[in-house]
Amino acid sequence: MKITNAKVIVCSPGRNFVTLKIFTNEGIYGLGDATLNGMEKAVVSFLENYCIPALIGQDPRNTEDIWHYFYRGIYWKRGSVSMAAISAIDMALWDIKGKMLKTPLYNLIGGKSRDRVLVYAHVNGNDPGETLEKADKAIEAGYEAIRIQCGVPGISHAYGVSKDSRFYEPAEKGLPPVQHWDTSKYLNFVPHLFEKIRVAVGDSIHLLHDVHHRCTPIEAARLAHELEPYHLFWLEDPVSGELQEGLRLIRKHSHTPIAIGEVFNTGYDYTTLITEQLIDFIRMPVSHGGGITHLQKVMALASFYHIQTGFHGATDLSPVSLAASLHFNMAVNNFGIQEYMPHNEIVNEVFKVNYHLEKGNLYINDNPGIGVDIDEESAAKFPYAKASLPVNRKTDGTLFYW
Ligand code: EZ4
Ligand code: CO
């Protein structure tokens, strides 16, 4: 079996998606998600100019060797752009493998360990009252786990609080907008928010919260400690992960579970975090973390340290990514939870999906491979539109963390 060609499909049904389609001499093709929010064209260029020419003629069944060809074989390693490309290639090859063997991807990576995938919903409001109303709605809809984000008094626009009440989208058209941030206001506010929410929703609902890397290790330690009475399922990205040792300080002061790494892109970003048991959940998704091939290794290492999956799954990850995550989560023993945000309806005109939501859980059907298809005619109706994630500045203008 040979790879005969590959192409990159860029479309924007409400938001930008980059999809890699790999063709073979046996008529089977595979799809991979290469979307990197706000940096889409950089991945397109890397795929088109460097990866696709090297893929043509290779045997698509050799997922392990091809992965290493693009990772070990390339002098300039790692980085979000090249890892997004490698992840898309790997996903497309596993899609081909499943289609060739006429079986869903989960059967190739361990079979079913469960019959559904627990997801968490996104709840965000401008103030605690509105946030609680939306939390009640999510619980009524059957969600067992909800991520709570809320506007912070004194901060004009807090990241993660959606402008559109139905869909969550942090990127805005054009160049990056500037948002403002004040950590002390945030730290003073969040424990009160969670007290209110926990008292109102009771003990049986899982509550999650995303810090989006806005704290220093000692600030994050304070927050994780002060949130202990409200029994969070996890506190996400409490600090920027560049300094893995920084997580030691949080662990030392708190038993709030920690999830980290939606911006990570290799297992090397996790080695200290895993082997010192500084975290509880892996956020790095299939689409940015090296695909199925690499994430299997990361989650295997994590399994020895009681660390579970909790993959990124915001709307900037395409349905191909979400389906790939679902196969992974169905198969792996150390499954934790999956992030889920419904895509805008027009996304489903372009992508034909093989999963559905029922009472806070996602179910996947038995389509072979990853099992999502793309309607290219429909994709062509939605041309790329530049959009960017915001940059953050303190109120005095100092550029701040992501
Ligand atoms: O900032 O998906 O956990 N989810 C998040 C998201 C991410 C965006 C980045 O593209 O943190 O809001
Ligand atoms: Co996040």
Side-chain angles (χ1 to χ4, degrees):
M1 198 176 192
K2 290 269 175 281
I3 295 171
T4 49
N5 203 357
K7 70 172 172 184
V8 185
I9 303 158
V10 181
C11 63
S12 193
R15 72 158 349 279
N16 295 316
F17 293 114
V18 178
T19 308
L20 174 67
K21 187 170 186 178
I22 298 182
F23 300 92
T24 66
N25 61 343
E26 295 188 11
I28 294 171
Y29 61 83
L31 297 181
D33 179 19
T35 311
L36 189 59
N37 202 3
M39 295 179 78
E40 296 86 1
K41 295 267 181 150
V43 187
V44 174
S45 169
F46 185 60
L47 280 168
E48 288 181 345
N49 290 301
Y50 303 100
C51 303
I52 292 176
L55 273 171
I56 294 170
Q58 297 215 43
D59 185 331
R61 293 172 295 190
N62 298 337
T63 41
E64 187 71 19
D65 185 68
I66 293 175
W67 195 91
H68 283 94
Y69 180 90
F70 286 109
Y71 186 84
R72 291 205 170 161
I74 285 175
Y75 193 77
W76 309 107
K77 288 193 177 46
R78 302 169 66 176
S80 334
V81 173
S82 51
M83 291 310 293
I86 295 176
S87 307
I89 293 168
D90 188 74
M91 256 187 269
L93 297 182
W94 280 93
D95 194 25
I96 290 170
K97 210 190 280 289
K99 287 174 176 167
M100 190 186 82
L101 298 168
K102 299 190 172 54
T103 193
L105 172 59
Y106 58 74
N107 277 335
L108 303 178
I109 55 176
K112 286 187 183 178
S113 288
R114 56 195 55 78
D115 61 10
R116 60 185 185 276
V117 171
L118 175 71
V119 299
Y120 65 90
H122 282 256
V123 166
N124 54 80
N126 289 305
D127 55 56
E130 191 191 2
T131 306
L132 185 54
E133 263 172 49
K134 290 186 177 173
D136 285 338
K137 281 198 186 127
I139 295 164
E140 266 168 45
Y143 284 103
E144 299 165 47
I146 49 182
R147 185 187 97 162
I148 300 286
Q149 306 297 129
C150 183
V152 178
I155 299 181
S156 57
H157 182 87
Y159 184 77
V161 180
S162 184
K163 285 184 195 141
D164 182 323
S165 61
R166 289 187 317 140
F167 300 104
Y168 177 94
E169 177 51 75
E172 289 182 28
K173 296 273 179 298
L175 285 171
V178 177
Q179 291 186 353
H180 290 101
W181 185 251
D182 184 327
T183 308
S184 67
K185 289 196 169 79
Y186 169 75
L187 288 177
N188 289 334
F189 170 71
V190 174
H192 297 294
L193 169 70
F194 275 88
E195 181 182 11
K196 184 180 168 86
I197 303 281
R198 178 54 85 201
V199 167
V201 304
D203 285 334
S204 60
I205 298 297
H206 296 306
L207 298 178
L208 299 79
H209 180 64
D210 193 346
V211 186
H212 292 114
H213 323 100
R214 299 300 171 86
C215 288
T216 62
I218 195 66
E219 289 164 349
R222 167 184 158 193
L223 181 63
H225 174 70
E226 291 186 4
L227 288 173
E228 277 171 8
Y230 317 115
H231 299 150
L232 264 58
F233 185 92
W234 80 32
L235 187 66
E236 173 184 341
D237 290 335
V239 290
S240 162
E242 284 127 313
L243 182 71
Q244 293 189 42
E245 297 89 320
L247 277 285
R248 289 181 188 145
L249 205 54
I250 305 172
R251 222 31 161 194
K252 199 166 155 186
H253 293 285
S254 156
H255 53 66
T256 294
I258 302 295
I260 197 164
E262 68 183 43
V263 301
F264 290 4
N265 49 60
T266 77
Y268 293 109
D269 297 320
Y270 276 112
T271 46
T272 304
L273 299 178
I274 292 175
T275 57
E276 293 190 19
Q277 290 176 267
L278 301 179
I279 58 168
D280 304 279
F281 298 93
I282 300 283
R283 289 283 295 150
M284 185 172 77
V286 178
S287 61
H288 299 150
I292 300 292
T293 297
H294 190 58
L295 214 56
Q296 273 193 305
K297 292 169 186 170
V298 176
M299 288 318 305
L301 177 66
S303 72
F304 292 110
Y305 296 90
H306 305 278
I307 296 166
Q308 299 176 309
T309 64
F311 299 152
H312 191 206
T315 42
D316 49 293
L317 282 74
S318 91
V320 178
S321 270
L322 181 58
S325 295
L326 293 177
H327 286 283
F328 200 101
N329 285 321
M330 287 292 285
V332 78
N333 176 264
N334 50 333
F335 165 68
I337 201 165
Q338 171 64 47
E339 179 177 19
Y340 175 62
M341 297 181 183
H343 285 111
N344 190 329
E345 292 93 26
I346 54 171
V347 173
N348 297 327
E349 286 177 28
V350 175
F351 293 96
K352 303 298 159 200
V353 309
N354 56 341
Y355 49 78
H356 73 278
L357 180 77
E358 223 178 286
K359 291 205 166 64
N361 287 267
L362 281 170
Y363 293 78
I364 192 150
N365 73 19
D366 56 6
N367 283 1
I370 291 174
V372 173
D373 210 350
I374 187 165
D375 176 341
E376 292 187 54
E377 261 175 47
S378 171
K381 288 186 211 145
F382 303 103
Y384 170 79
K386 183 181 167 62
S388 311
L389 288 163
V391 293
N392 307 297
R393 291 185 183 279
K394 292 187 193 178
T395 42
D396 71 357
T398 311
L399 199 77
F400 197 57
Y401 293 99
W402 243 129

